[in-house]
Amino acid sequence: MESLWHATCSIQPREALRKNLRVDVAVIGGGMAGVLTAYLLTQQGARCVVLEAERIGGGVTGNTTAKVTSQHGLCYDTLLTLSGQETAQSYLSANQAAIERYRGLVREQNIDCGWEDLPSYVYALDGVDRLAKEQRALEQLHFAASLTRKTALPFPVKAALRFERQGQFHPLKFLRHIAQGLEIYEQTPVTDVLGHTAVTPLARVRADRIVVATHYPFINAPGYFFLRMHQERSYVLALDRAPHLDGMYLDANPQGLSFRNAEGCLLLGGAGHRTGENRTGGHYRALSRAANRYFPLSREVRRWSAQDCMPQDSVPFIGRYSPAAPGLYVATGFHKWGMTGSMVAAMLLSDRLTGHRMPWADAFSPHRFRPAASIPALAVDGVKSVKGLSKGYFGSASARLDDIPKGHGGVVRYAGEKLGAYRDENGEVFLVTVKCPHLGCELSWNPDEKTWDCPCHGSRFDYRGNLIGNPAMKGIRWQGKIPRGTSSPKTADPQRKEERAR
């Protein structure tokens, strides 16, 4: 399921790193945050290298909806109430500055990335109280936002809160441009960080500073970010023959729909859930029903999904990884707003690493603790982790192998073991272990994407056990394949062993 961005933009591959290097800064991760950080550091005269495990832009950046906005749902009333005036003001100011930095780069360098200055809206279907509270919060932060009942949506709304001069663009075309001239190595996973050295399969990189910009940090300790955020998935359809809207739209209800135009299509998004909690599936079907209801003449041309790191207080972690790790920095937890979050991270880190300190730094500090904002979410995340771990050790299988239909998967008891089983359309069954190699939680089958997902920390694996997304650093163990009509599993073939080694 290729995103619209990948389908309309190719990026020249880079070679893998095969020799040891000595640099000023090593950035681990070639998404928007990592590449932007390297770009800004290079502009300030630092020798910076980007180490990417696969392809730049191949993760969350290539699957975003690419709204460049400071309107992050109805967040500012909550930030004011739970985190205080200073944090809320810093968050708004930083994200507004990120929009202006994108806009300036696009114009100064004439970047062909479809940049559009557009308003963004949060709309409500069931009352205006929440929107009015958010507008009052924004007034306290000296930001003008207007309430309106007039929208370009194909259904009536009670009201919508409008932000002026926001932006949208093609994220991969922008990334391709700013990556030119940067020292980037692809197919170069970092397997460990030892002090000031990033370890890769074929070489080592010695750096004064190391930035972990891998979406979800792969170093558990210090930092312990796996205790401080969870991951969520969301889904997108690209619709042809749909109307052109006047801006970007998001429902005030977190379970509602989002809309924006791109590349001649309308992007219809929503149907989100916590990673690992999608046993029944049907999220793409729900979006398809909405498309048929609101845009009956439209035609689906693409569908894809994205994953987001959700910090407990809704503010990204940007800065020093831990006081116990000098020279190590992190950028993660962008909630569902990775485009502005990436630029905020790049600005904060590039200034910090070259001896400056921006006024917003404390709001995004990884070492903060805001009890009122964090403790309720911390309790929920803790319960989810305990549940996932206990299922792995004490839970029973949820399905019988014979009951799994074609195209579906489930946790079964087979040959004396609890395993994950997926039956393909030809009737062959693929068996894997269901214990996540990150911290041991039991994986859950995602029927919408045919993947095994971790409900504790969000690692994902395909039905053959190959790793898709971190924090896990390796795939799950392949247990064999049962051809149609065969009653016992075969051992893994050499090709599978080679895939697992990679």
Side-chain angles (χ1 to χ4, degrees):
M1 291 182 279
E2 185 180 48
S3 75
L4 182 67
W5 317 124
H6 284 295
T8 55
C9 178
S10 61
I11 299 178
Q12 186 71 23
R14 306 291 185 100
E15 294 182 353
L17 179 64
R18 301 181 184 278
K19 62 180 181 180
N20 294 340
L21 294 177
R22 177 68 174 88
V23 298
D24 297 321
V25 182
V27 177
I28 307 171
M32 188 66 80
V35 173
L36 274 173
T37 298
Y39 174 83
L40 295 184
L41 284 166
T42 300
Q43 293 295 301
Q44 296 182 53
R47 184 187 177 189
C48 190
V49 63
V50 176
L51 307 173
E52 165 56 41
E54 295 182 3
R55 296 293 315 283
I56 62 168
V60 179
T61 297
N63 292 310
T64 177
T65 53
K67 299 173 183 175
V68 187
T69 174
S70 60
Q71 188 182 47
H72 298 171
L74 300 179
C75 71
Y76 293 104
D77 178 63
T78 301
L79 283 171
L80 271 173
T81 302
L82 298 181
S83 299
Q85 175 90 22
E86 184 177 353
T87 294
Q89 189 70 66
S90 292
Y91 187 84
L92 175 59
S93 298
N95 281 283
Q96 279 293 113
I99 298 168
E100 293 303 324
R101 194 65 176 268
Y102 275 117
R103 183 180 285 119
L105 283 172
V106 170
R107 291 178 176 173
E108 290 163 14
Q109 300 188 27
N110 195 26
I111 302 175
D112 181 15
C113 62
W115 178 273
E116 293 181 88
D117 291 322
L118 291 171
S120 67
Y121 301 82
V122 172
Y123 64 90
L125 302 176
D126 56 358
V128 301
D129 290 349
R130 289 176 296 166
L131 300 185
K133 284 182 66 177
E134 184 77 353
Q135 185 184 38
R136 289 194 294 272
L138 288 162
E139 288 174 355
Q140 291 186 53
L141 301 175
H142 312 290
F143 184 87
S146 59
L147 279 173
T148 180
R149 292 180 180 272
K150 183 179 180 181
T151 74
L153 294 171
F155 46 79
V157 302
K158 292 293 184 182
L161 188 64
R162 173 173 168 144
F163 279 29
E164 301 292 348
R165 278 183 59 78
Q166 307 294 289
Q168 65 181 31
F169 69 158
H170 191 305
L172 294 187
K173 289 181 179 179
F174 178 87
L175 188 78
R176 179 176 62 185
H177 181 93
I178 64 166
Q180 296 174 7
L182 297 182
E183 189 174 359
I184 298 174
Y185 296 94
E186 296 181 328
Q187 306 302 325
T188 304
V190 174
T191 57
D192 203 357
V193 174
L194 304 174
H196 289 270
T197 300
V199 181
T200 77
L202 301 177
R204 295 190 173 206
V205 179
R206 173 78 178 176
D208 297 331
R209 303 286 187 271
I210 296 175
V211 175
V212 178
T214 55
H215 176 62
Y216 198 112
F218 66 95
I219 303 169
N220 287 332
Y224 301 99
F225 293 100
F226 65 90
L227 296 175
R228 304 161 69 188
M229 60 185 182
H230 68 273
Q231 299 202 67
E232 293 186 3
R233 297 202 63 72
S234 56
Y235 301 83
V236 185
L237 303 182
L239 304 175
D240 192 16
R241 300 199 297 257
H244 191 88
L245 305 181
D246 64 340
M248 302 165 283
Y249 287 87
L250 177 68
D251 196 334
N253 182 343
Q255 297 303 309
L257 300 173
S258 73
F259 306 84
R260 69 152 287 195
N261 292 98
E263 301 293 307
C265 295
L266 178 68
L267 304 190
L268 172 64
H273 61 85
R274 186 179 177 119
T275 304
E277 296 186 354
N278 185 30
R279 290 184 178 276
T280 58
H283 294 285
Y284 284 120
R285 288 196 300 273
L287 288 179
S288 294
R289 288 195 296 269
N292 290 333
R293 182 185 313 122
Y294 298 126
F295 311 108
L297 301 180
S298 68
R299 177 177 64 95
E300 179 188 323
V301 293
R302 295 279 170 189
R303 61 169 55 184
W304 71 93
S305 62
Q307 183 149 304
D308 298 291
C309 293
M310 312 293 284
Q312 289 155 358
D313 65 357
S314 301
V315 177
F317 299 109
I318 304 168
R320 293 233 353 231
Y321 205 99
S322 165
L328 188 62
Y329 295 79
V330 68
T332 188
F334 297 149
H335 213 259
K336 294 180 180 293
W337 307 101
M339 293 299 96
T340 45
S342 292
M343 183 62 87
V344 170
M347 292 189 296
L348 286 173
L349 291 173
S350 62
D351 273 24
R352 177 71 179 269
L353 271 59
T354 52
H356 303 91
R357 185 174 177 82
M358 300 189 80
W360 323 307
D362 288 344
F364 296 89
S365 170
H367 316 137
R368 68 183 185 265
F369 181 58
R370 301 177 184 125
S374 300
I375 286 177
L378 176 63
V380 172
D381 289 349
V383 169
K384 298 287 186 182
S385 294
V386 170
K387 182 179 178 181
L389 285 165
S390 62
K391 281 181 63 179
Y393 289 101
F394 306 113
S396 59
S398 59
R400 293 195 321 143
L401 182 61
D402 292 344
D403 295 335
I404 294 179
K406 292 180 179 179
H408 292 270
V411 179
V412 302
R413 182 70 63 177
Y414 185 78
E417 289 189 76
K418 188 161 66 169
L419 301 172
Y422 164 68
R423 190 185 303 276
D424 71 10
E425 299 298 338
N426 296 320
E428 291 188 319
V429 176
F430 298 81
L431 297 173
V432 296
T433 59
V434 286
K435 181 183 288 189
C436 180
H438 176 230
L439 290 176
C441 291
E442 182 172 298
L443 303 175
S444 177
W445 179 249
N446 179 345
D448 283 310
E449 300 176 274
K450 294 182 171 52
T451 59
W452 293 102
D453 298 352
C454 178
C456 296
H457 308 114
S459 298
R460 302 180 64 240
F461 312 85
D462 69 18
Y463 65 83
R464 290 178 175 269
N466 297 304
L467 178 66
I468 297 174
N470 55 347
M473 293 291 287
K474 61 182 180 179
I476 49 179
R477 195 167 69 249
W478 168 254
Q479 293 294 101
K481 183 169 68 173
I482 308 175
R484 183 178 180 181
T486 302
S487 59
S488 59
K490 294 183 178 180
T491 58
D493 55 34
Q495 181 179 355
R496 169 60 195 146
K497 290 181 179 178
E498 182 181 344
E499 290 174 355
R500 189 173 65 204
R502 290 200 297 265

